[in-house]
Amino acid sequence: MAVCDVCGREMLEASTCTERTVELVDGRYERIRFGAEGLRIDSDTCDDCGVVRGALHHPGCDVERCPRCGDQQSSCDCFETWDDA
Ligand SMILES: [Zn+2]
Ligand SMILES: [Zn+2]
Ligand SMILES: [Zn+2]
């Protein structure tokens, strides 16, 4: 089991995360809640991070979409990178 670094709760037990926005390359965006991804998801809880419908995913969840590009948040390029500053 893993503890979320953002909300400090056990991921599969916390029904929502607490961080409502995410900082991306050109500013802060409202995060997309579970059920608002535009995907067909039948279960009431997120298969990956376990949150309930309408709740915020824990960061790093494979189901979460990026509010900027609409791709999978965990694999898109919208996060600020600091290495080449
Ligand atoms: Zn969390
Ligand atoms: Zn999730
Ligand atoms: Zn993105």
Side-chain angles (χ1 to χ4, degrees), residues 4-9 11 16-18 57-59:
C4 171
D5 337 315
V6 172
C7 64
R9 289 136 113 188
M11 289 208 201
T16 184
C17 200
T18 51
H57 294 278
H58 297 288

Side-chain angles (χ1 to χ4, degrees), residues 10-81:
E10 194 63 63
M11 289 208 201
L12 297 174
E13 286 170 14
S15 55
T16 184
C17 200
T18 51
E19 185 68 54
R20 273 183 292 187
T21 58
V22 60
E23 184 84 46
L24 298 176
V25 283
D26 57 359
R28 235 169 217 283
Y29 287 76
E30 280 283 312
R31 299 176 61 210
I32 298 175
R33 290 165 183 260
F34 176 48
E37 291 88 359
L39 306 173
R40 282 184 57 97
I41 297 171
D42 295 324
S43 69
D44 288 334
T45 53
C46 178
D47 277 350
D48 197 56
C49 73
V51 301
V52 300
R53 208 169 258 282
L56 296 158
H57 294 278
H58 297 288
C61 175
D62 284 347
V63 175
E64 183 168 6
R65 300 283 116 177
C66 173
R68 182 169 179 271
C69 70
D71 271 348
Q72 217 177 26
Q73 178 89 85
S74 56
S75 62
C76 84
D77 297 321
C78 301
F79 282 103
E80 191 80 67
T81 46

